[in-house]
Amino acid sequence: MKLFATIAIGAFALAIAVPGAAQAPIVVKFSHVVADKTPKGQGALKFKELAEKKLPGKVDVQVFPSSQLFGDAKELEALLLGDVQFIAPSLSKFDRYTKKIQVFDLPFLFDDIAAVDRFQASKEGQALLTSMKGRGLLGLAYWHNGMKELSTNKDKLVVPGDVKGLKFRIQASDVLEAQFKALDANPQKMAFSEVYQALQTGVVDGQENTWSNIYSQKFFEVQKTIAETNHGVIDYMVVTNAKWWDGLPPDVRKGLSEAMAEATAYANKLASDINEADKKRIEDAGKAKIQKLSKADVAAWRKAMEPVWKKFEGDIGKDLITAASKSNQ
Ligand code: LMR
């Protein structure tokens, strides 16, 4: 048996063989920004369970939920510095690394999560997983959350005119910024961990998110109306540091890959149930009104957000947008 003593040199770690001693497990930190009882939270915990079962004594997977270790602003940098090994940012948060992934943010591109799933599984969708390798990021899987709804601190939220002049928290995405500008609203990029307080204190009037995030972050307690717009998607890419991944012992990489594939299937199966259950909890709490929209109302939101597509067509690529559109079947 050999002990691999780990000596940290700057951002990287060097393993030195020491004969006759037991090998310490490789510490694998998985940091994310949502609660444990969300699709992503459950996926991360399942990944830990499976990885440690497949690789007994070889890996120690540590999950840090709710921005405990790193929040939105820092997690990608931390991954590239080797301070964390897995993160799963929403697809909206990669636009500094690739313009292509912005395709997922185009409003009303996907009819539902099934369409998103089909696109992610397609040749084009799979190619996006490795599209940031040159920047040091390797995508291992897509994880679902769900479709986005729109919420505000106003009583009326039915037509696009109802958000005119309002301030909205958005994720760090230029597409989402353009989306709210197209509605004559004022978007503000803000880390997820700061949203509740910003809504509570009126720093912003509204936000867009899934039922699961609206429930687990208690946004429904500080918003008056949630309109069922389903205008976009919040899904994730689980990414690792490409250099760290390539440097893993082959058996560990294989075990982690298998654990990731199984955790992905598990989390993606759960996601819509969690969102449905959280929607019901919000309804039952009776704090925010859930505004159903007619087909005509939805068409009006779609029309108001339409200019965003043209604006980003050059960056994203027309072919990719067409491929994604086709997934609606
Ligand atoms: C948000 O920032 O609203 C979401 O991306 C958070 C998340 O990870 O679901």
Side-chain angles (χ1 to χ4, degrees):
M1 270 251 174
K2 287 178 181 169
L3 171 75
F4 286 82
T6 305
I7 302 172
I9 300 179
F12 300 102
L14 188 70
I16 298 174
V18 180
Q23 191 175 332
I26 296 172
V27 173
V28 179
K29 293 185 182 169
F30 192 144
S31 169
H32 65 81
V33 301
V34 292
D36 280 335
K37 284 185 181 166
T38 58
K40 180 161 59 180
Q42 292 294 298
L45 290 172
K46 188 51 116 184
F47 172 70
K48 169 185 167 65
E49 178 196 316
L50 292 166
E52 291 180 347
K53 196 146 101 197
K54 286 174 192 292
L55 298 162
K58 292 192 175 175
V59 292
D60 171 11
V61 181
Q62 302 173 359
V63 178
F64 300 90
S66 303
S67 309
Q68 274 166 21
L69 192 60
F70 297 108
D72 278 336
K74 285 275 164 337
E75 63 179 10
L76 276 153
E77 283 160 40
L79 185 79
L80 291 170
L81 288 170
D83 293 337
V84 61
Q85 285 68 44
F86 288 100
I87 58 173
S90 101
L91 296 165
S92 310
K93 294 174 185 170
F94 288 100
D95 68 4
R96 267 178 302 152
Y97 297 91
T98 167
K99 296 289 172 207
K100 300 243 169 245
I101 292 179
Q102 290 182 322
V103 69
F104 287 101
D105 273 345
L106 291 179
F108 291 105
L109 171 55
F110 299 104
D111 290 347
D112 50 28
I113 280 291
V116 177
D117 191 87
R118 283 190 289 272
F119 174 59
Q120 289 170 349
S122 71
K123 179 168 61 70
E124 292 84 356
Q126 289 294 300
L128 292 175
L129 291 172
T130 49
S131 65
M132 297 178 286
K133 238 190 147 182
R135 307 289 303 267
L137 295 172
L138 175 64
L140 296 178
Y142 288 109
W143 284 3
H144 297 323
N145 187 337
M147 302 305 282
K148 284 187 291 192
E149 320 301 348
L150 204 60
S151 73
T152 67
N153 57 5
K154 307 290 173 213
D155 289 320
K156 184 164 181 286
L157 183 56
V158 181
V159 291
D162 297 334
V163 300
K164 196 171 172 189
L166 299 187
K167 287 176 274 170
F168 280 88
R169 176 270 172 171
I170 54 163
Q171 305 177 75
S173 154
D174 290 349
V175 177
L176 299 180
E177 187 169 57
Q179 173 192 285
F180 280 98
K181 285 191 172 156
L183 296 169
D184 290 325
N186 301 315
Q188 271 188 39
K189 291 181 181 174
M190 189 184 290
F192 186 58
S193 59
E194 292 165 22
V195 183
Y196 177 86
Q197 214 190 346
L199 291 170
Q200 190 188 34
T201 55
V203 166
V204 290
D205 301 297
Q207 61 87 48
E208 51 168 16
N209 232 307
T210 62
W211 294 114
S212 157
N213 281 345
I214 295 171
Y215 179 72
S216 57
Q217 298 296 314
K218 300 191 166 62
F219 298 162
F220 69 99
E221 292 184 355
V222 287
Q223 293 281 264
K224 280 199 178 149
T225 311
I226 307 167
E228 271 194 288
T229 48
N230 292 318
H231 62 283
V233 59
I234 288 193
D235 258 25
Y236 309 109
M237 190 185 285
V238 186
V239 283
T240 188
N241 179 315
K243 203 164 182 170
W244 174 81
W245 182 254
D246 288 343
L248 285 173
D251 63 324
V252 173
R253 197 166 48 239
K254 181 167 177 283
L256 292 179
S257 295
E258 287 170 8
M260 184 56 68
E262 287 172 38
T264 298
Y266 172 85
N268 284 352
K269 206 158 168 273
L270 269 187
S272 59
D273 288 350
I274 293 179
N275 275 292
E276 275 310 305
D278 286 347
K279 177 183 171 188
K280 177 92 182 34
R281 290 185 180 106
I282 293 168
E283 227 160 20
D284 292 348
K287 292 202 163 147
K289 172 179 73 182
I290 297 182
Q291 178 67 57
K292 300 226 177 297
L293 298 178
S294 69
K295 276 202 169 139
D297 296 332
V298 174
W301 286 98
R302 182 190 284 264
K303 189 157 180 15
M305 294 179 182
E306 217 167 60
V308 177
W309 284 44
K310 264 270 161 287
K311 191 166 180 344
F312 289 90
E313 192 181 88
D315 279 349
I316 296 169
K318 219 174 167 168
D319 290 358
L320 196 59
I321 298 175
T322 307
S325 305
K326 280 191 184 147
S327 62
N328 288 320
Q329 288 186 339

